[in-house]
Structure formats: C-alpha cells, structure tokens
C-alpha cells in the first residue's frame, strides 16, 4: 500500500493504490472544493475544478497544478467538455445541495465511475436512502455540519481531552491531552517513567508549533499536547498522569450561534447535558424553537435571542456554572475571541469552529481549547472514497502537523519479518498499536507483527513516505470501485 501524506495546516493520511494517477472533477471552488483540489493535486492526480464564478477560480491555476473551468456543473455540455464521461471521481461541493446532487447524477450517467455530493439536509444521509441515491448515481453523500457536530459532542463527553480517535469500535484509543505543571510526567525523561510493558504508549507530542516523535531522553514540558495510545480500561491512569483529575464532567453547555453544526452537536449530546443557545437572528430563533420543541419543554435546551458575546449577559446566564462553551458561528474571529473570553470567565472546556485555516495556528497558541474545521471533515470523508475500505481509515489532526493511518500488514511485508526493535523504522514515525483477530494490543520493541494485522501508525514530516517500504501490496484500479 502506498502511504501518502497531505499537509496544509491540517493533515490527512491515506493508503493509495501504487500511486495511480486518477482523473477527478470537482464542482465548486469554495472552501471545501479548493482544499480538496490542493490536496489531490499534490498527489499528481489530474484535477479539473469547475465553478460559475471566474473570481473564485482566478489565480488557482498558478498556485496549484490543476485545470479550471468557468461553467455550470449542471450543464451536460459542460460536463462532457470537462471529461465527466471518463473521470474516475466526480465531487459536487457547491453551496447548493440540489446542484451537487444533479451534477453527480448527470456525471454518473455520462460515465463517471464514482460520485460524491455535499448536502445540507440530514434526511439524505439516513441509511434507508443510501441504496436509493446509489441507484440514482450518487455513491456517497457528505454533510460536513453533521460530521462536525458529532465530533464536538464526543469532545464534550471527555472534557479533559483535546483530540480523540477510536479504533476497532473503541477497543484501542489514541488521545491528545494538554499537560500542565501539575502533571507527574513533566520535566522528566520519557525513559524514567514510561516502560515497555506500561498500559499506554506515548506516540507523539506537540511542543509549541512543533510536533515530534519522542525518544527516551525527551522531556515533556508544561502545555505540551501529549498523544497517548491506550485501551479504555486504562483511561483513568492517563487522566492522572496528565494531571486532569480535577476536570468535572460537562453538564451545562453554552452555544454561541444556532448554526447547523450547533444543532447536530446538541442532537448528539448525552441526555445528561443541558444546552443554552444564544442566537441574534429572530427567524433562526424560531427555527431552533421548532427543532427543539420537546427538549425546550423538558428544560434540557434553552434558546435565547441574544448576543452571546455580551459578557454581562453571560454572567447573568450563569456562565460561572457552565462547564463548556461552544462557538460555531460562520465567523472564525468571533468564535476564537468568544472562546478566549469564556476561558477568562472560568469555563474550562471551550470549542471553536475555525474555518479559516490561517487562524488555526493562532487559535491554538491562544490556548482556547478544541478547534474544529468543517472542511477537514468533508475532505476526510471524500478522501476515503479513494481508499480500499479494509486497508485504511483517514484521520485528521487539526492542530498537529502529523499523520495517523491504519495500515494492513500485507503478506511477506518487511514489517512482518522481525520484531519492531529490529526493523529500523524511520525516526519520525512510530507504531502505536495493532488489531489482530478483533483483539487490540499496544506495540513495544518486542512486538512481532503478522500478516493481516491492522497497525496504527503516527508519523510527522515525511515519515509516512519512509514507511512505504515496510508495507507493500498490489491491487488494481478496479479495487477502488
């Protein structure tokens, strides 16, 4: 399997097929479309980006190796001109879901091998309609707001964690935790407190703006984000090591803005949590009241027509007794500043939706809490269209220049020939854990991997490329579809 790394401010990892050059058409030059085009162009795929606005397309060809076309994606003539009749993947990500779905159906009819459409309606993503849309020519549907909402709700359930990934239905966990001065593991060499048989593996840490793979002499310092690989039964030990025992369970959450992302977050929150939503638009307030009518009657949700940036109002609404503050307006600066203010008012858990990638580094340096970027979720989902499902999954790290991949150990691969300590793996890559016959295990130097194992790898810089020689397989373009 070819390991391929994609970095902007956000990182993606996937295993691709022996580097097959694919023809891909992207309809929509918005944030998601241009982000995808940039990532895919780095893999030297043949990319055509279509949009009706010449302004959106101006300058893109000079910044990346793609073709652009000012045209309507719902025109059969334009789709033929773009080459939809022989494209491998057609992606509809314009702001209009109807146009996305129509263009995908037309592209499929013309001969596109696979299509994916971005939508804004949760009805379309229910399992009962999956076969219906597939028959209509839409292979996959992505709803970024719902994906982001699920991520935020999971994050609220674990207030002491910055990032969280589950493997094999949660039997193996990779989590990122920001450690403070009270942590028992700061300013101590890793070799002095972390042993091979410990029930966790520190796979990486983020120090300032730098992400690195730690060695025996590496010392963790206060405010580092430490990435642990562990199992569910050992989470309390990780919590103690990181000095997070004092973190209270989230029971009350405040939301700045009644966006679609906020709605899906609330829908996925445990019933033990209450939500208070601040929304300035009276029409949106009415819509939220209709959506959450039952929950409002039960007292679980409160919707206020008010500006959630008003410090006096927040105090009147008892922000002092709130454990989490979530800002999901369409303005990244507003979300960052609101979370920063909430932190200063004593809220321990804050979540900011930051759509402008240029602001992600700044937001992290301000220590505002968890950062969510919708386009990374959409891009991750769409990128999985290019993966062989039993080979890898795609993981995005919003704040770390790193890659996480699930890699299947192939027959006669180098990684299965010797114990890990004898493999001479790249210095900027580490293997955290593996899954064998449904059972999860942590990896240490004595681990001997076998054919069929699924390994979780964490890499920085070009480490993902250097791992390529340790994992090999052969399959054809047809396996993608």
């Amino acid at each position: 399997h070819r390991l391929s790394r994609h970095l902007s401010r956000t990182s993606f990892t996937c295993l691709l097929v022996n580097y097959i050059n694919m023809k891909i058409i992207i309809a929509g030059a918005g944030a998601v479309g241009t982000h995808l085009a940039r990532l895919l162009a780095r893999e030297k795929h043949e990319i055509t980006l279509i949009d009706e606005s010449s302004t959106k397309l101006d300058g893109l060809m000079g910044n990346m190796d793609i073709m652009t076309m000012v045209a309507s994606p719902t025109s059969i003539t334009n789709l033929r001109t773009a080459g939809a009749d022989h494209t491998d993947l057609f992606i509809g990500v314009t702001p209009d879901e109807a146009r996305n779905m129509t263009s995908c159906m037309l592209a499929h009819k013309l001969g596109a091998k696979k299509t994916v459409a971005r939508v804004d309606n949760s009805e379309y993503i229910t399992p009962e309609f999956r076969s219906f849309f597939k028959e209509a020519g839409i292979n996959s549907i992505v709803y970024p707001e719902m994906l982001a909402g699920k991520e935020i709700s999971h994050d609220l359930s674990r207030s002491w964690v910055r990032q969280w990934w589950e493997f094999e239905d949660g039997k193996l966990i990779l989590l990122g935790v920001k450690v403070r001065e009270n942590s028992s593991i700061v300013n101590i060499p890793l070799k002095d407190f972390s042993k091979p048989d410990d029930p966790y593996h520190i796979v990486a840490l983020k120090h300032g703006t730098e992400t690195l793979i730690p060695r025996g002499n590496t010392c963790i310092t206060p405010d580092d984000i430490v990435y642990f690989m562990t199992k569910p039964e050992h989470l309390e030990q990780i919590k103690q090591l990181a000095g997070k025992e004092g973190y209270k369970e989230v029971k009350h959450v405040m939301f700045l803005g009644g966006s679609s992302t906020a709605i899906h977050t609330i829908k996925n929150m445990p019933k033990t949590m209450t939500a208070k939503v601040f929304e300035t638009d009276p029409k949106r307030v009415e819509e939220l009241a209709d959506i959450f009518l039952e929950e409002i009657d039960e007292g679980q949700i409160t919707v206020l027509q008010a500006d959630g940036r008003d410090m006096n109002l927040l105090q009147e609404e008892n922000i002092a007794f709130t454990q989490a503050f979530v800002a999901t307006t369409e303005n990244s600066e507003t979300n960052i500043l609101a979370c920063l203010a909430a932190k200063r008012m004593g809220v321990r858990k804050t979540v900011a939706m930051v759509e402008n990638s240029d602001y992600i580094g700044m937001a992290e340096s301000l220590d505002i809490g968890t950062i969510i970027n919708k386009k990374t979720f959409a891009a991750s989902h769409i990128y999985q269209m290019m993966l062989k499902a039993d080979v890898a999954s795609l993981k995005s790290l919003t704040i770390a220049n790193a890659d996480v991949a699930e890699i299947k150990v192939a027959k006669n691969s180098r990684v299965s020939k010797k114990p890990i300590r004898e493999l001479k793996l790249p210095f900027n890559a580490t293997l955290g854990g593996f899954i064998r016959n449904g059972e999860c295990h942590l990896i240490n130097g004595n681990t001997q991997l076998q054919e069929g194992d699924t390994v979780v790898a964490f890499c920085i810089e070009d480490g993902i490329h250097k791992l390529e020689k340790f994992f090999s397989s052969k399959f054809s373009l047809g396996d993608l579809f």
Side-chain angles (χ1 to χ4, degrees):
H1 312 291
R2 180 171 178 84
L3 290 172
S4 182
R5 176 172 174 265
H6 308 282
L7 285 179
S8 54
R9 288 280 185 176
T10 311
S11 302
F12 300 96
T13 298
C14 62
L15 284 100
L16 300 178
V17 292
N18 292 334
Y19 202 78
I20 295 172
N21 184 267
M22 300 176 66
K23 178 172 177 56
I24 301 169
I25 298 175
I26 302 173
V32 176
T34 54
H35 187 65
L36 273 170
R38 185 172 292 108
L39 293 178
L40 294 166
R42 290 177 182 178
E43 281 298 328
K44 306 301 180 185
H45 296 294
E46 183 184 341
I47 310 297
T48 300
L49 182 60
I50 303 174
D51 199 283
E52 290 184 275
S53 170
S54 59
T55 303
K56 289 183 178 180
L57 295 173
D58 285 346
L60 290 180
M61 285 184 67
N63 296 327
M64 59 183 95
D65 186 17
I66 64 171
M67 295 291 293
T68 61
M69 182 176 172
V70 181
S72 168
T74 56
S75 163
I76 295 175
T77 301
N78 291 338
L79 290 176
R80 279 195 174 124
T81 302
D85 54 336
H86 58 278
T87 194
D88 297 304
L89 180 61
F90 182 92
I91 303 168
V93 286
T94 75
D96 187 337
E97 67 178 3
R99 292 174 70 79
N100 295 335
M101 299 173 80
T102 300
S103 62
C104 282
M105 289 188 281
L106 291 173
H108 169 77
K109 195 68 176 177
L110 289 172
K113 294 179 181 176
K114 207 164 190 180
T115 66
V116 56
R118 176 184 178 176
V119 301
D120 299 313
N121 189 332
S122 57
E123 255 189 339
Y124 296 151
I125 60 172
T126 55
E128 61 184 298
F129 291 120
R130 191 172 298 159
S131 59
F132 169 80
F133 286 117
K134 191 167 185 179
E135 290 172 7
I138 304 173
N139 297 96
S140 185
I141 288 177
V142 57
Y143 187 7
E145 288 77 11
M146 188 199 70
L147 296 174
K150 285 184 177 180
E151 183 74 14
I152 296 172
S153 65
H154 291 159
D155 195 60
L156 293 175
S157 300
R158 308 172 187 93
S159 62
W160 57 282
V161 175
R162 284 295 177 94
Q163 290 184 298
W164 176 284
W165 302 272
E166 295 183 358
F167 306 91
E168 197 66 17
D169 296 324
K171 295 178 184 176
L172 194 63
I173 297 166
L174 176 63
L175 63 153
V177 185
K178 192 157 196 170
V179 298
R180 306 294 186 180
E181 291 184 0
N182 63 325
S183 169
S184 62
I185 61 177
V186 299
N187 301 320
I188 302 173
L190 191 64
K191 63 183 179 182
D192 291 344
F193 71 85
S194 181
K195 307 300 180 184
D197 294 329
D198 283 344
Y200 62 87
H201 181 189
I202 296 179
V203 297
L205 61 90
K206 187 169 187 287
H207 179 69
T209 60
E210 181 185 13
T211 303
L212 55 90
I213 304 294
R215 304 300 167 194
N217 293 323
T218 301
C219 286
I220 297 169
T221 58
D223 295 331
D224 284 350
I225 296 179
V226 182
Y227 293 90
F228 294 87
M229 180 72 73
T230 190
K231 297 181 181 181
E233 58 265 31
H234 303 302
L235 287 174
E236 280 303 314
Q237 183 175 347
I238 305 298
K239 193 174 184 180
Q240 292 173 5
L241 286 173
K244 300 292 185 177
E245 301 98 319
Y247 269 70
K248 296 180 180 178
E249 181 182 349
V250 172
K251 293 183 179 179
H252 306 293
V253 187
M254 285 186 173
F255 286 84
L256 177 64
S259 65
S260 295
T261 301
I263 290 172
H264 286 286
T265 301
I266 295 170
K267 285 183 175 180
N268 283 282
M269 284 184 353
K271 295 297 183 182
T272 54
M273 294 184 191
T274 65
K276 187 171 289 186
V277 184
F278 299 94
E279 174 57 57
T280 57
D281 182 358
K283 183 178 179 181
R284 187 60 170 172
V285 170
E286 291 181 8
E287 292 173 351
L288 293 170
D290 290 337
I291 293 170
F292 295 115
L293 180 61
E294 184 178 335
E295 292 84 352
I296 290 173
D297 289 341
E298 294 175 354
Q300 185 186 1
I301 297 174
T302 303
V303 180
L304 300 175
Q305 185 182 333
D307 190 343
R309 298 170 296 179
D310 186 330
M311 298 297 103
N312 292 327
L313 173 65
L314 292 178
Q315 288 176 338
E316 291 174 7
E317 293 297 330
N318 295 320
I319 194 171
F321 300 98
T322 297
Q323 292 82 39
F325 186 93
V326 181
T328 62
T329 74
E330 294 303 314
N331 190 296
S332 297
E333 299 97 318
T334 296
N335 296 337
I336 292 170
L337 292 174
C339 285
L340 187 60
K343 277 276 189 181
R344 290 179 175 174
M345 296 179 78
V347 180
R348 299 196 74 169
K349 182 70 175 179
T350 59
V351 181
M353 189 167 73
V354 182
E355 288 302 278
N356 189 328
S357 298
D358 293 335
Y359 291 160
I360 291 177
M362 178 189 70
E364 173 59 16
S365 68
L366 291 172
D367 194 22
I368 63 168
T370 300
I371 298 165
I372 295 293
N373 185 289
K374 284 189 301 183
K375 70 183 179 185
T376 67
F377 295 110
S380 294
H381 177 90
I382 294 169
Y383 229 77
Q384 285 178 325
M385 300 282 291
M386 302 172 67
L387 306 179
K388 197 165 186 271
D390 62 345
V391 173
S393 67
L394 193 60
K395 307 297 174 186
S396 62
L397 284 72
T398 307
I399 60 172
N401 288 334
D403 299 305
V404 179
E406 288 182 87
I407 313 169
K408 195 92 165 185
V409 177
K411 185 177 182 179
N412 296 322
S413 60
R414 285 183 57 184
V415 77
S416 65
K417 299 296 185 182
K418 300 177 181 178
I420 297 296
R421 67 174 183 275
E422 299 178 17
L423 288 175
K424 297 181 180 180
L425 294 173
F427 73 93
N428 50 2
T430 187
L431 307 182
F434 69 98
I435 302 151
R436 179 180 295 164
N437 299 324
E439 294 294 323
C440 296
H441 310 270
L442 297 177
I443 287 177
N444 59 41
N446 297 320
T447 300
Q448 175 78 56
L449 295 172
Q450 299 177 7
E451 176 190 348
D453 290 347
T454 299
V455 181
V456 180
F458 195 109
C459 308
I460 59 174
E461 297 174 350
D462 62 346
I464 202 77
H465 287 293
K466 292 182 178 179
L467 271 181
E468 177 183 6
K469 60 185 178 182
F470 295 91
F471 297 86
S472 61
S473 179
K474 295 179 181 179
F475 59 103
S476 68
L477 180 63
D479 288 324
L480 285 174
F481 311 106

